[in-house]
Amino acid sequence: MSVVVLVEHTEGNIKKKSLEAIQYAAGIAQKTGTTVSAVVLGTLADNVMQDLGQYGAQKVLHVPDARLNQLHARAYTNALITAAQKEDSKIIIALHDINGRAVAPRLSAKLKAGLVAGALSYPDLTNGFAIKKQVFSGKAFAYVNITSDVKVITLMLNTFPLSKTEGSASIQKLDVNFSDKDFGIRVKETNKITGDIQLADAQLVVSGGRGMKGPENWGLIEGLAKELGAATACSRPVADAHWRPHHEHVGQTGGTVRPDLYIAVGISGAIQHLAGVSGSKTIVVINKDPEAPFFKAANYGVVGDALEILPRLTQAVEKFRQNHK
Ligand SMILES: Cc1cc2nc3c(=O)[nH]c(=O)nc-3n(C[C@H](O)[C@H](O)[C@H](O)COP(=O)(O)OP(=O)(O)OC[C@H]3O[C@@H](n4cnc5c(N)ncnc54)[C@H](O)[C@@H]3O)c2cc1C
């Protein structure tokens, strides 16, 4: 018996967020006296898969079908069910991202399994199988007890810090009976997000809202982000107005970030925005309106004009870094 976890990879590397999912699976395996079987779909080098042992996977079940290098929700579901059956697994874990959100409900329906989407804690086994999760766009928490035999969990990103240990996972090829229906979509074009720091993985984020007035002022956001080594993000109206690309939009209808530091500049703090950022460890808000709702969610706040504050803050960070070289 083992805990089965879906692993995501891109350009020959495991995505950092998937390492966290493996580590989470390892924590559950330890609590339940089982092991971790990581499911890798698509083409990936053996040494990269073996290294998953450093995050707690004993075994990798590999389906080396190149069609799986991109998300096919039905095929992924089929592969995970095959893996779970092979391993006699009662717990299946994926990330609470686009892949996990596409696959987990299908798994839940097909296996008649209870699902916790967006887990924020390990299961409390003294209380059944109770897991903490956010509800009402992050306004409250719920503890959900999964009572079914098979359990499906999607883990909220950036919930636990990563730690690496010694270890090497064994690799087994997994045969899956796919049908044509499993590959019902065809990707015609891919526009890759470029940039040094990917928003989903970023530990530091500088984010701008409508208070930045226009795209011509975004150099100020980028300047601070560059000085800090941070990724940039934005509110939805900013992306809707094409000041910034849509992949930077965070919130209920955008991406979810949980960085160590989220600096919100000229963003009011609407509940739909907070839904995507309220898991940040520290929130700093810069807003000219002292009544802006975001201040209620902030650890630190600066009341003032962002266009004046940002250059001074960037300069201060630059000076600090020079003095601490
Ligand atoms: C179904 C639904 C889903 C949604 N999903 C999302 C989502 O995923 N993400 C999201 O962000 N929004 C989402 N929204 C929109 C959301 O409700 C807000 O309208 C939006 O977040 C507001 O964006 P904003 O804070 O940038 O702009 P505004 O609300 O216009 O706020 C601008 C802020 O900037 C401040 N400001 C102005 N000038 C300056 C200055 N010079 N210096 C400093 N501060 C200044 C103002 O005081 C104000 O607080 C959604 C809405 C709906 C209905």
Side-chain angles (χ1 to χ4, degrees):
M1 194 142 83
S2 66
V3 177
V4 160
V5 54
L6 174 64
V7 174
E8 298 179 30
H9 57 95
T10 180
E11 294 174 355
N13 296 307
I14 303 291
K15 291 185 187 171
K16 184 176 152 250
K17 56 188 181 176
S18 270
L19 300 177
E20 194 183 330
I22 294 169
Q23 196 176 274
Y24 179 68
I28 295 183
Q30 200 178 25
K31 275 171 166 271
T32 52
T34 56
T35 56
V36 175
S37 298
V39 176
V40 174
L41 307 175
T43 37
L44 197 63
D46 281 0
N47 62 325
V48 177
M49 291 191 279
Q50 279 157 356
D51 283 352
L52 296 181
Q54 295 170 350
Y55 297 89
Q58 280 77 23
K59 190 194 283 184
V60 172
L61 297 172
H62 185 208
V63 190
D65 184 325
R67 291 175 297 178
L68 300 169
N69 288 340
Q70 68 178 56
L71 172 65
H72 287 279
R74 284 184 181 167
Y76 277 36
T77 306
N78 187 353
L80 282 168
I81 289 175
T82 307
Q85 281 164 351
K86 181 175 181 300
E87 299 296 292
D88 190 23
S89 175
K90 304 290 182 210
I91 303 172
I92 306 174
I93 294 168
L95 284 161
H96 196 64
D97 65 357
I98 190 164
N99 290 2
R101 283 192 257 187
V103 169
R106 286 180 160 86
L107 285 171
S108 172
K110 283 192 180 279
L111 298 173
K112 303 205 182 332
L115 163 67
V116 170
L120 290 172
S121 76
Y122 285 100
D124 176 2
L125 301 182
T126 59
N127 190 16
F129 198 93
I131 298 179
K132 183 179 173 186
K133 63 165 283 181
Q134 275 182 5
V135 287
F136 300 119
S137 299
K139 279 273 183 199
F141 295 114
Y143 291 84
V144 181
N145 208 343
I146 311 185
T147 54
S148 54
D149 184 33
V150 181
K151 298 161 177 60
V152 179
I153 305 167
T154 58
L155 173 67
M156 194 61 106
L157 313 187
N158 294 332
T159 298
F160 299 103
L162 263 186
S163 61
K164 203 168 160 181
T165 54
E166 296 287 303
S168 177
S170 65
I171 303 171
Q172 280 180 20
K173 193 168 162 284
L174 181 69
D175 291 319
V176 183
N177 283 327
F178 292 118
S179 74
D180 285 348
K181 275 209 304 207
D182 285 336
F183 297 93
I185 59 159
R186 190 162 61 90
V187 175
K188 288 167 76 178
E189 192 184 327
T190 307
N191 291 320
K192 268 214 163 316
I193 298 166
T194 53
D196 294 340
I197 303 160
Q198 297 298 311
L199 184 54
D201 293 338
Q203 295 305 311
L204 308 173
V205 175
V206 182
S207 186
R210 218 152 34 182
M212 287 302 296
K213 310 290 184 212
E216 65 280 6
N217 293 322
W218 231 262
L220 297 175
I221 296 280
E222 285 169 335
L224 178 59
K226 190 164 175 228
E227 210 47 64
L228 288 169
T232 54
C234 67
S235 66
R236 176 170 156 174
V238 162
D240 285 346
H242 305 294
W243 296 0
R244 297 300 290 175
H246 258 293
H247 65 77
E248 283 197 5
H249 143 210
V250 288
Q252 186 182 315
T253 47
T256 300
V257 293
R258 299 172 64 79
D260 291 335
L261 175 65
Y262 184 79
I263 304 180
V265 189
I267 304 176
S268 57
I271 183 173
Q272 296 89 356
H273 185 84
L274 293 178
V277 307
S278 59
S280 306
K281 308 269 181 318
T282 302
I283 295 179
V284 176
V285 168
I286 302 172
N287 197 302
K288 70 172 188 187
D289 175 8
E291 300 298 322
F294 220 147
F295 283 120
K296 290 205 182 88
N299 301 89
Y300 302 94
V302 184
V303 178
D305 186 343
L307 305 185
E308 285 173 20
I309 292 165
L310 279 176
R312 286 161 60 191
L313 186 56
T314 308
Q315 239 175 28
V317 174
E318 192 180 353
K319 200 164 157 198
F320 179 87
R321 287 188 51 185
Q322 267 165 11
N323 292 340
H324 290 80
K325 262 187 185 161

